[in-house]
Amino acid sequence: MTAKAVPPPAVPRHVAIIMDGNGRWAKQRMQPRLFGHRAGAESLRAVLRACRDHGVEYLTVYAFSTENWVRPEDEVSGLMSLLRTFLKKDEHELHENQVRLRVTGRIQDLPRAVRDELERVMEATKDYRKGHLILALSYGGRAEIVDAVRAIAAEAQAGRLDPAKIDEAAIASHLYLPDVPDPDLMIRTSGELRLSNFLLWELSYAEFYFVDTLWPDFREADFAKALEEYARRQRRYGAPS
Ligand code: IPE
Ligand code: IPE
Ligand code: MG
């Protein structure tokens, strides 16, 4: 079989974003960190609109990692209430644009009130297919793989799965959202050059785009620039250039 390197479709189908830099943005303004998180929610709204305008079908955003639980209690509770406000204020946008909301992560770790609100909006938007907004909440890439391995081991122990038949597809099908295509483009703001435990399995062939802009300053034009850069990349999947 000869596979030829092909240019990617001009627009990525799925974009994943590590929304980083809210704290530094607030600090530059001598404001509390939550001020930065609130401004960051505006960037999320802007990028969601940009996805619709550019024809990006799936947007996954890293909103809270399994590691972020170590942050001070007031920051964590502030983020949780900001999330509830976002769901209440922006639910109508999801309906207007027929965007389905989903969560990836250990949703059971979230406070009851947040979980209830998430479940309500997920249920209300579950039939939409024009766009998909996926919130990574209490998400860790290693935790996701651990949860998949536990489920696979339980099936094997029950005699429903032959260990010799475990392949990549079997693992992928036990991840949190097996029906979602892998991200094509991963964006991280704020100049940090690391994955911080984000979508370890799913990003294995994504194009990476790092930018110094802090998340609260990242708006439609910045997103459009990332898409332009993506369109210039050549995805080879191991094939010769
Ligand atoms: C990203 O901004 C948002 C979350 C992790 C919830 P940060 O809060 O990490 O901002 P910096 O990295 O401290 O500037
Ligand atoms: C990653 O950002 C998690 C989110 C954006 C939610 P962090 O700010 O937590 O990552 P590190 O700690 O700098 O790696
Ligand atoms: Mg950070």
Side-chain angles (χ1 to χ4, degrees):
M1 193 175 81
T2 54
K4 266 253 170 223
V6 283
V11 177
R13 189 173 180 210
H14 184 176
V15 176
I17 305 183
I18 302 177
M19 311 184 288
D20 199 13
N22 297 351
R24 277 162 281 172
W25 188 90
K27 197 171 177 192
Q28 285 172 359
R29 286 158 183 77
M30 289 182 299
Q31 293 286 335
R33 296 178 63 83
L34 214 55
F35 183 74
H37 294 316
R38 248 182 250 121
E42 284 306 320
S43 295
L44 175 56
R45 291 184 178 102
V47 166
L48 198 50
R49 281 194 298 272
C51 282
R52 178 199 60 197
D53 296 345
H54 288 275
V56 172
E57 269 179 76
Y58 292 84
L59 174 67
T60 297
V61 290
Y62 208 4
F64 196 85
S65 73
T66 47
E67 287 73 30
N68 288 146
W69 290 111
V70 304
R71 294 195 179 197
E73 145 75 30
D74 62 336
E75 185 177 355
V76 172
S77 61
L79 278 165
M80 293 299 151
S81 75
L82 188 63
L83 178 60
R84 283 175 69 197
T85 310
F86 177 81
L87 292 169
K88 286 205 179 93
K89 267 182 48 184
D90 290 71
E91 185 185 353
H92 73 98
E93 292 262 355
L94 302 178
H95 291 294
E96 274 159 35
N97 296 299
Q98 298 192 23
V99 173
R100 181 182 186 186
L101 178 83
R102 295 173 89 181
V103 172
T104 185
R106 289 183 169 164
I107 191 173
Q108 67 276 14
D109 295 349
L110 301 171
R112 178 88 251 171
V114 175
R115 227 156 67 210
D116 287 350
E117 193 63 21
L118 280 167
E119 267 152 16
R120 192 185 61 71
V121 181
M122 285 195 286
E123 177 63 26
T125 61
K126 72 175 192 310
D127 295 325
Y128 296 149
R129 293 293 181 273
K130 269 209 177 142
H132 302 260
L133 171 61
I134 299 159
L135 302 177
L137 287 169
S138 195
Y139 176 85
R142 288 186 173 179
E144 181 177 30
I145 293 169
V146 166
D147 289 347
V149 169
R150 278 193 194 145
I152 290 169
E155 284 177 31
Q157 196 175 35
R160 282 183 278 118
L161 183 66
D162 174 2
K165 295 220 166 82
I166 298 171
D167 55 9
E168 290 184 14
I171 293 175
S173 73
H174 287 82
L175 297 175
Y176 295 140
L177 300 175
D179 55 316
V180 171
D182 285 343
D184 302 292
L185 172 65
M186 191 287 296
I187 299 172
R188 183 171 190 152
T189 58
S190 88
E192 306 297 347
L193 306 179
R194 55 178 172 266
L195 270 183
S196 302
N197 204 12
F198 190 41
L199 301 175
L200 297 180
W201 177 279
E202 297 87 337
L203 289 175
S204 64
Y205 252 111
E207 295 296 322
F208 285 7
Y209 180 84
F210 294 100
V211 65
D212 287 337
T213 312
L214 302 174
W215 176 248
D217 288 328
F218 190 91
R219 297 295 162 97
E220 282 99 330
D222 306 275
F223 187 74
K225 260 174 89 177
L227 295 190
E228 275 169 34
E229 164 76 26
Y230 173 83
R232 285 194 292 271
R233 302 270 177 98
Q234 199 189 31
R235 301 181 78 181
R236 288 196 273 278
Y237 299 102
S241 57

